Amino acid sequence: VYVAAQTGADVRLSQEWEVTEEFLNAYTIPQLTALAATMPRDAQPSIAPNVGKKELMGRIVEMAPKLKAAGWVPDVVTFSR
């Protein structure tokens, strides 16, 4: 964590990381729903009941530009503090 802060890796990560289908594919539907709940309100995808995984992943990917603009990075790819 210290080295990431000293080298600016934590800042670069939030600027450069993008959500992709490849990243999301590792998640289950409940995990994707939980992940979406951590996103900023104005960048959360609309999630209908009984939505399929592919559709849910697509909705999240559609929000990628807004997520990037907000500097959102999932906890799993951040440096713990």
Side-chain angles (χ1 to χ4, degrees):
V1 174
Y2 175 77
V3 172
Q6 294 301 309
T7 61
D10 53 348
V11 173
R12 282 195 321 269
L13 179 69
S14 66
Q15 293 171 340
E16 297 174 12
W17 188 86
E18 290 187 35
V19 64
T20 63
E21 283 193 23
E22 292 80 13
F23 172 79
L24 297 173
N25 196 42
Y27 287 80
T28 63
I29 291 174
Q31 290 170 326
L32 288 169
T33 302
L35 183 67
T38 69
M39 297 173 182
R41 282 262 184 238
D42 64 336
Q44 285 183 351
S46 60
I47 301 173
N50 301 320
V51 67
K53 182 175 178 177
K54 286 281 188 195
E55 185 177 347
L56 181 52
M57 287 173 34
R59 289 182 184 191
I60 293 172
V61 170
E62 284 176 7
M63 300 308 279
K66 284 187 175 185
L67 293 168
K68 185 172 182 89
W72 178 84
V73 180
D75 290 342
V76 72
V77 297
T78 61
F79 298 97
S80 310
R81 295 187 193 259

